[in-house]
Amino acid sequence: MLVLLFILFGGLAIGCALAVVAQRNPLYSAISLVGVFISLACLYVMLAAPFIAAVQVIVYAGAIMVLVVFVIMLLNVEEEERGRRRLKFLVPMAVAMAAILIAEVAFILVTVQEFRVNPPAGVGLTHSIGTSLFTRYLLPFEITSILLLMAIVGAMTLARRGGLLSTSARVIPGVTTLPRSLVDPRATPDDLRPVEADSTDEAARLLGVTGLRDHSDRDE
Amino acid sequence: MEPQLSWYLALSAVLFTIGVTGVIIKRNVIAMFMCIELMLNAVNLTFVAFASFFQDVVGQLFVFIVMTVAAAEAAVGLGIIIAIFRNRESLDVDDASILKL
Amino acid sequence: MDTAIDIVLKFVAITVVFVVVLLVVAYTVLAERRVLGFIQGRLGPNRVGYGGILQPFADLLKFILKEDIVPDKSTRFIYFLAPVIATMAALMTMIVYPFGPDTRIPFTSITIPLVVARLDIGLLYVLGITSIGVYGIMLAGWSSNNKYSLMGGLRSSAQMISYELALGLSLIGAILLAGTLDLFQVVEQQSGWHGLRWLIIFQPLGFIIYMISAIAETNRVPFDLPEAETELVAGFHTEYSAMKFALFFLAEYINMFTVAMLATTLFLGGWNVPFLDSIFARGTFLFGLVSAIGFLVKVVLILFFYIWLRGTLPRFRFDQLMNFGWKILLPLALINIFITATLIFLRVPGFS
């Protein structure tokens, strides 16, 4: 019974993983990857790790992949074209290595002896994970929280447009000269050839920070 | 007959290999990123299998931490990808072979 | 033989829960239209059957017989997959909610708890499946090949993932008090004080934050900008007609039902009817039956509150909505956890 479940979920995982690699449309790859994550979550349940299975669904399938699908939809990513044929001699080598991998897996499946301990008594339950996490493995836990803080700060810094132009910057109406390096990312910092802008909106557009002025303070 | 530890490890090895193949083959940077996540998940499966078969909870704790790191990496990595896309207008890794924009 | 009886009981339980959920949801749609009508000074649908009782069946017939229009340039596979994901995610959460205590089935000697699956990680399961439901909306918006659908889908899913955080965090306070993620045990713990020891007494702020997040999570007024008729045509389900639209509609109302059941289970005492244990003994069939009915009454009250809100409040603008979710609700939820944890740590009586 468990063997059937393992074959089912394992096959599903491998099938979806092959779909991730083989699909050319990145959205289909993302959906197949969600399939991989969910079948891995089912495998974790079979391995008596229900908490990790739930966390896998919540974090990986429910948050990370949502983010990836968001990015794919926002950037409107197209399909990959059929790649340029490069290094043709690698294809038979890849086939040979795949054959070696399959042979190794078959060898393991056939010849490794049976190894089974008693059914786990509460190892994967929330209680035991929580206890270990907050007593013996507290240092990795705290370091991980700081890592998440670093990620949040990093993501927010990357998402800011227009470099260091603050949200309350206003350009006085009339021709304003700005150093070229603010506008053109390829210019060197001491390139002082001016760029002219007539209003905050035009300067914002030139600087690529058009989203900064929110229109909620204007009566429409 | 129950699924053995070796079966789980073999499955994890196959998933990892598929992930590596994806990273090498794919030209779209988001697809490469997804294959990296696939590799991380294969390793997670190994950890959980060992935790189950050796009755030690530390495997599952490490999976917890790996998932956290993967989430942090996803956030920052996708931010970088969006920033690159804004500058180059293309997500093709083969075309991004020099540092100049 | 035992496992065969177990499997048969599970199938019966799943069927019963499924039928109950579909009936309640169908009549919620009718109730919404009637109640909204009364709030707005008109009668709702009252022609079909006595007082409109058969209206859901008329709607179902209409949906089945309507022409199914598929946009030409849409991505076919994802277009068909999206309502399936939405409905499946909505229905899958039903199995962990406890409808009643351990009850003896009449004419037999089997005692079963009135819950389909007693998972050790019940609450995490609900949160995980809710996260999967976001995909239905995003893929629907994308695959319709329509700018308005895409904008509606992206806005709706951004709103949902923002308020999912506040939802999860507001539940942590209740879980700290209960000490377990198993929803059946959480309800069992609320049966002290003759069935009055509900968690809302200890977690009023958590309850308010949960209700607001739940309304935002299910895209209801005042957070329904992504699917309002006057805004983005109809949001992510613009291009869906007939049965697929019925599936989205159904998924939204089942989601509403789900969050109402979660609120009842965690904060309003679940199936605990006050002072019922002085009338019937626990474990008997009548106790279980009245408890289940009490549970449904509480859920219906929360659904009425949702419908009442729909008739009363205007809707948020999208940036106000995101502002509220991230800058106000999330810090409040964190403060709630902090306060609850402090009270538990100081062993304040009642909070242990």
Side-chain angles (χ1 to χ4, degrees), chain A residues 131-168:
Chain A
T131 321
S132 318
L133 197 63
F134 289 121
T135 51
R136 194 168 160 212
Y137 298 99
L138 185 59
L139 182 62
F141 179 69
E142 296 294 336
I143 294 181
T144 310
S145 69
I146 299 196
L147 179 84
L148 281 176
L149 178 67
M150 279 164 34
I152 292 177
V153 171
M156 276 182 2
T157 313
L158 280 170
R160 282 173 67 178
R161 291 192 258 173
L164 298 171
L165 191 69
S166 85
T167 54
S168 55

Side-chain angles (χ1 to χ4, degrees), chain C residues 149 201 206 209 338:
Chain C
S149 295
I201 305 173
I209 298 176
F338 187 66

Side-chain angles (χ1 to χ4, degrees), chain A residues 25 27-28 31 34 38 50-51 54-55 57-58 60-63 65-66 69-70 72-74 76-77 125-126 216, chain C residues 75 77-78 81 120-121 124-125 127-129 131-132 134-135 138-139 142 150 154 157-158 161 164 181 317 319:
Chain A
N25 190 344
L27 191 64
Y28 287 143
I31 299 177
V34 175
I38 295 184
F51 184 76
V55 171
V57 172
I58 295 177
Y60 262 117
M65 288 316 292
V66 167
V69 175
F70 247 126
I72 293 178
M73 288 182 183
L74 275 174
N76 208 0
V77 186
L125 298 179
T126 317
S216 59
Chain C
T75 330
F77 177 62
I78 303 184
L81 188 66
D120 179 57
I121 44 148
L124 280 186
Y125 172 79
L127 287 177
I129 301 292
S131 313
I132 298 287
V134 177
Y135 280 108
M138 267 201 314
L139 294 177
W142 168 260
L150 182 63
L154 285 178
S157 41
I161 60 177
E164 239 167 49
L181 285 169
R317 219 172 51 216
D319 58 323

Side-chain angles (χ1 to χ4, degrees), chain C residues 108-119:
Chain C
T108 52
S109 59
I110 311 176
T111 306
I112 52 165
L114 291 182
V115 57
V116 177
R118 241 191 105 157
L119 294 181

Side-chain angles (χ1 to χ4, degrees), chain C residues 171-238:
Chain C
L171 293 174
I172 290 185
I175 294 301
L176 280 175
L177 282 174
T180 170
L181 285 169
D182 186 357
L183 290 177
F184 191 78
Q185 269 192 318
V186 171
V187 176
E188 291 251 312
Q189 286 183 4
Q190 294 181 58
S191 48
W193 303 348
H194 289 288
L196 273 177
R197 194 183 182 273
W198 297 355
L199 277 178
I200 189 177
I201 305 173
F202 301 104
Q203 285 277 298
L205 182 61
F207 180 65
I208 295 175
I209 298 176
Y210 174 79
M211 285 304 285
I212 298 177
S213 315
I215 299 175
E217 183 72 16
T218 51
N219 286 337
R220 294 281 296 174
V221 179
F223 298 99
D224 73 338
L225 189 77
E227 63 174 37
E229 290 95 30
T230 56
E231 297 291 332
L232 287 169
V233 191
F236 61 92
H237 52 71
T238 311

Side-chain angles (χ1 to χ4, degrees), chain C residues 83-120:
Chain C
V84 170
I85 294 181
T87 316
M88 224 173 54
L91 281 173
M92 272 169 69
T93 53
M94 287 302 155
I95 65 173
V96 289
Y97 295 115
F99 285 88
D102 284 317
T103 313
R104 194 182 69 86
I105 306 178
F107 312 122
T108 52
S109 59
I110 311 176
T111 306
I112 52 165
L114 291 182
V115 57
V116 177
R118 241 191 105 157
L119 294 181
D120 179 57

Side-chain angles (χ1 to χ4, degrees), chain B residues 15-16 24 31 38 41 48 52 66-67 70-71 78-79 82 84 87-88 96:
Chain B
L15 283 176
F16 190 83
I24 297 179
L38 187 58
N41 269 282
V48 175
S52 162
V66 168
M67 277 187 203
L78 288 171
I82 294 184
I84 290 181
N87 270 321
R88 291 178 193 266

Side-chain angles (χ1 to χ4, degrees), chain C residues 24-40 42 211 215 218 220-222 253 256 260 299-313:
Chain C
V24 171
V25 165
Y27 281 98
T28 306
V29 178
L30 173 66
E32 169 159 6
R33 292 166 73 178
R34 297 283 321 241
V35 170
L36 272 182
F38 282 125
I39 292 179
Q40 294 165 353
R42 56 179 172 91
M211 285 304 285
I215 299 175
T218 51
R220 294 281 296 174
V221 179
Y253 280 89
M256 222 165 76
V299 173
V300 165
L301 280 175
I302 296 188
L303 288 175
F304 173 72
F305 179 65
Y306 276 7
I307 299 174
W308 189 5
L309 275 184
R310 179 173 180 174
T312 318
L313 295 176

